[in-house]
Every structure is written in C-alpha cells, then in structure tokens.
Amino acid sequence: MKGIAGESGETSNEATPVNSNINGVAILEFILRFLAAGGTLGSAMAMGTTEETVPLFPQSILLNAKYSDLPMFTFFVIANSVACAYLVFSLPLSFYYIIRRAAKHSRIVLVTFDTAMLGLVTAGASAATSIVYLAHKGNVNANWLSICQQLDSFCERTSGSLISSFASAFLLMLIIISSAIAISLS
Amino acid sequence: MKGIAGESGETSNEATPVNSNINGVAILEFILRFLAAGGTLGSAMAMGTTEETVPLFPQSILLNAKYSDLPMFTFFVIANSVACAYLVFSLPLSFYYIIRRAAKHSRIVLVTFDTAMLGLVTAGASAATSIVYLAHKGNVNANWLSICQQLDSFCERTSGSLISSFASAFLLMLIIISSAIAISLS
C-alpha cells in the first residue's frame, strides 16, 4: 500500500529502512492494542459476572455476594470497561498508522489517551487487589476478618480477573513505549 | 550554551523555531520532574511518619496505629520512595536535554522508566486509597467496620498523603506526554 504523508511538514520517503521499521512498530502496536482490549474486556466480564450465594446455617438465611457489594470492584469493572471501549475505538487509528507511516502529531494525541488509560487500568486493578488481599488474609490491626472461608468461589473469580487486568496495564505500557519509538522513527 | 549533537544520526540545527520549541519542552519537563520528585517525597514522608496512640478505656490498654500495620500503606511508602529516587536521579539527564537538544534514543529509555514509575505510583496511591476508603466508611457486606472513629488523626494524615501522590502520578503523565512531544520535535 502506498504511504502518503497526510500531515503538514512531514515527508514520506518509502522503501527506506527507517520507514520499514515504523511499519513494524505500527503493526506491533496494533497487535498490542488488540490484546489489551481483549484483556480489559475479559477482566471486566469476569469481575462483572461474579456472584456467589452461600447458605448461613446458624441463621438459616442466604448470603449473596456480588462484585457491586464493594465499591472498589465496581470501579474495577468501570475502569476496565472504559479502557476496553477506548482501545477498541483506537484500533482503526492504529491500523491507519500501518498504512500512513508518518503521522507524528496525531500519535501524540493517542499517547496522551494511552497514558490516561494506563493510569485508569492500574488504579482499578490496584484498588481491587487490596480488597482481594484483605478478603484473603484480613487484617488483625484494623479488626477486618477474612471473608474467603465463606466465599471461596467469589474470591477465586475476583483474584483471577485481576491477572488479565494487570496484563492489560503492562500491554498499555508497551503500547506507550512503542508509540514513542514510532514517533522517533517518523 | 552550544548544542552539539552527541548521538549518531542526529543533527543539531540551532536557532530554528523547532529547536527553541524543544528547549521549552525540555525546561518544562525538568520542572515537572522536580515537582513530581517533591510530591512523591512528601507523600512517602507523610505516610511513613504517621503514627497515633489512643487509649482504649474499657481494657485500659493503648492502641497504637502506624502505617506498617497495613501492607498497602507499606507498599505506598515503598512505591513513592522508589519513584522519588528515580526522579531525583533522572534530573541530571533531564537537565542534559536542555543543553543538548537532539537526543531521541536516550529519551526513549527515559520514557520507558517514566511509564513504569507512573504504573508504580498509581498502583501505590490506588491501593492506599481503597484502604483509606474502608477505614472511613467500612463495608457492611464484608463486615469490615470503620476505624476512623477511634483513629481520627491517623485517618486524616493518611488521606492527606494520598493527594500529593495522585498529583505526582498526574505530573508523571505530563512528563511522558512532554517527552513524546520532545521526541517528535527533535
């Protein structure tokens, strides 16, 4: 495909080693973005569908635990959903960079949003992690007891959804770095 | 001062509008880095020195609360200390960019570390925030009671230290974006 510089002040000199490098970085970025979108979607869904009902024998009532019981888990679901939506919408722009190689200025806008999303996903994953830690171990000093003895499957599901969220945060870091490399090459 | 291109494949053409822009961005980045270092130092110190001893009248014992009682607060102190140390060490390199304007490749290394530090500071601040939230409000569903009635000054200090940590995370975002702009200009 022909690479035509669309932005002012930028030239496209095709078939040079520098430009083939940009193309490689742009393809890598597209793949990373796709994986990060999948990771955030997976973790938002895994957390959002977590629900467990256990019978409490002494009182003969049912204890129902779901993600919205804890505001940090709700934030986790929202943060991952927002990041997933952003990443899906950024995919066409990322594909555009594979075709049109030199586009420094719009790349900076994308880096800005990527950085904000990294902050959002990391904050969500980290807030949920401290709650999962408390649920597993409790804290003697604050007199907060572990709840994972009663809610075993709830704890497992929430712990599992953290993994893909942290993986997505790591992928977003790689996206920012690859964007910086692409900007330096163009 | 004279700008001489130190890295291979890079040219320094002084007195052009583009280069004066780079200089402005480099000075801005230096100031942001300095502020972020101060912010992380302040929040690490505020959290690290938080300690409160309150008498528990019924049992006539002293209840002593400090940051190391909760692992998330310890992580917060470590994350902010590490980020502060990195930012202080990166200041000379940032100053070097003001003098030598075109240095794309070493800037990418700095962006990599900046991104990692953004993740670290955000994770620390976010983990501590969920604990501060629990300490203030508690959680009925998990049967975790608020501890801020007893530990009023402890809760205030820990809440306060979060602000400068989130401000530092925001400054780190601006540093990454300004680095991307500087790379695009050089």
Side-chain angles (χ1 to χ4, degrees):
Chain A
M1 275 187 254
K2 295 275 178 190
I4 303 148
E7 296 185 18
S8 61
E10 287 163 8
T11 54
S12 103
N13 36 338
E14 272 187 282
T16 61
V18 167
N19 259 356
S20 72
N21 279 347
I22 300 175
N23 221 353
V25 172
I27 292 166
L28 177 73
E29 203 190 305
F30 184 81
I31 295 165
L32 287 173
R33 229 169 254 282
F34 189 80
L35 290 174
T40 49
L41 179 70
S43 54
M45 280 178 66
M47 183 67 87
T49 56
T50 298
E51 198 168 355
E52 193 184 3
T53 308
V54 285
L56 279 181
F57 289 113
Q59 296 95 330
S60 63
I61 51 160
L62 289 171
L63 179 68
N64 182 30
K66 55 182 188 296
Y67 80 97
S68 56
D69 288 346
L70 286 148
M72 296 79 177
F73 287 164
T74 312
F75 174 58
F76 178 88
V77 173
I78 294 168
N80 277 287
S81 306
V82 169
C84 180
Y86 160 75
L87 284 163
V88 168
F89 278 112
S90 74
L91 276 176
L93 196 59
S94 186
F95 187 73
Y96 167 87
Y97 291 142
I98 301 174
I99 308 165
R100 297 201 175 185
R101 287 142 198 188
K104 277 185 186 184
H105 300 103
S106 63
R107 264 190 194 278
I108 289 167
V109 178
L110 214 61
V111 167
T112 309
F113 282 105
D114 287 341
T115 312
M117 288 303 144
L118 170 62
L120 188 67
V121 172
T122 313
S126 182
T129 305
S130 34
I131 299 306
V132 166
Y133 179 90
L134 274 185
H136 274 284
K137 302 245 178 167
N139 189 281
V140 180
N141 303 299
N143 204 23
W144 293 332
L145 298 173
S146 163
I147 54 166
C148 280
Q149 272 92 45
Q150 290 96 52
L151 300 161
D152 194 40
S153 126
F154 178 76
C155 279
E156 260 179 43
R157 278 285 288 276
T158 50
S159 313
S161 67
L162 295 178
I163 298 166
S164 63
S165 191
F166 275 112
S168 303
F170 184 70
L171 288 172
L172 274 166
M173 285 185 189
L174 294 181
I175 289 169
I176 293 169
I177 296 160
S178 70
S179 287
I181 294 169
I183 291 169
S184 81
L185 289 173
S186 63
Chain B
M1 279 190 248
K2 295 275 178 190
I4 304 148
E7 296 185 18
S8 61
E10 287 164 6
T11 54
S12 102
N13 36 339
E14 275 187 280
T16 60
V18 167
N19 258 356
S20 73
N21 280 347
I22 300 176
N23 220 354
V25 173
I27 292 167
L28 177 73
E29 203 191 305
F30 185 81
I31 296 165
L32 288 174
R33 229 170 253 282
F34 190 79
L35 291 174
T40 49
L41 180 70
S43 55
M45 279 179 67
M47 183 66 88
T49 56
T50 300
E51 198 168 356
E52 192 184 4
T53 308
V54 284
L56 280 181
F57 290 112
Q59 296 95 333
S60 63
I61 51 160
L62 288 170
L63 178 68
N64 183 29
K66 55 183 187 297
Y67 81 96
S68 54
D69 288 346
L70 286 148
M72 296 80 177
F73 286 164
T74 312
F75 174 58
F76 177 87
V77 173
I78 294 168
N80 277 288
S81 306
V82 168
C84 179
Y86 161 75
L87 284 164
V88 168
F89 278 112
S90 74
L91 277 175
L93 195 61
S94 187
F95 187 73
Y96 167 89
Y97 290 142
I98 301 174
I99 308 166
R100 296 201 175 186
R101 288 146 198 185
K104 277 185 187 183
H105 301 101
S106 63
R107 263 188 194 280
I108 289 167
V109 178
L110 214 61
V111 167
T112 309
F113 282 105
D114 288 340
T115 312
M117 288 302 144
L118 169 63
L120 189 66
V121 172
T122 312
S126 181
T129 304
S130 34
I131 299 306
V132 166
Y133 180 90
L134 273 185
H136 274 283
K137 303 247 177 165
N139 189 281
V140 180
N141 303 300
N143 203 23
W144 294 331
L145 299 173
S146 162
I147 54 166
C148 281
Q149 273 91 45
Q150 291 94 53
L151 301 162
D152 193 41
S153 125
F154 178 77
C155 279
E156 260 180 41
R157 278 285 287 276
T158 50
S159 312
S161 67
L162 294 178
I163 298 165
S164 63
S165 191
F166 275 114
S168 303
F170 183 70
L171 288 172
L172 274 165
M173 284 184 188
L174 294 181
I175 290 169
I176 293 168
I177 296 159
S178 69
S179 286
I181 293 169
I183 292 169
S184 81
L185 290 173
S186 64

